[in-house]
Amino acid sequence: MPDSVYKIIELVGTSKESWEKAASSAVERAGQTLRDLRVAEVSELDLQLDAKGKVEAYRAKLKVSFKFEGS
C-alpha cells in the first residue's frame, strides 16, 4: 500500500440554531468542492452577538483533512 498525504484546512461554519449545525454545514459545504474528506476536528466554538448581547449565530471552527490525489 502506497503512503498517503493529507492536507488540513480550517473552516468556520455558522448556524442560527446550534454549534452542531454550524459544524455540519461547514463539512457539507466543503464536501461540495473537495473529495475524499477524512476527518473534521472542532477546534473552537463561539457565538456571534447583537448589540444587546443576544445570540445571533453559533460558530464552529473546524480543521478538516482530505487526501491529496495524483502522483
Side-chain angles (χ1 to χ4, degrees):
M1 178 175 152
D3 293 340
S4 297
V5 175
Y6 298 89
K7 171 79 175 167
I8 298 172
I9 60 172
E10 194 167 66
L11 303 172
V12 177
T14 63
S15 168
K16 293 187 181 243
E17 297 176 33
S18 69
W19 281 304
E20 290 84 1
K21 288 192 178 188
S24 181
S25 71
V27 171
E28 287 175 17
R29 179 62 183 93
Q32 292 175 9
T33 56
L34 298 171
R35 289 192 308 234
D36 215 2
L37 296 178
R38 293 299 174 119
V39 175
E41 173 188 347
V42 175
S43 60
E44 191 174 328
L45 300 172
D46 62 29
L47 300 166
Q48 183 177 349
L49 306 174
D50 67 12
K52 295 182 180 181
K54 183 178 176 185
V55 174
E56 285 188 334
Y58 297 85
R59 299 186 332 162
K61 185 182 289 185
L62 298 98
K63 293 180 182 179
V64 177
S65 67
F66 58 96
K67 190 174 181 181
F68 269 159
E69 295 180 354
S71 53

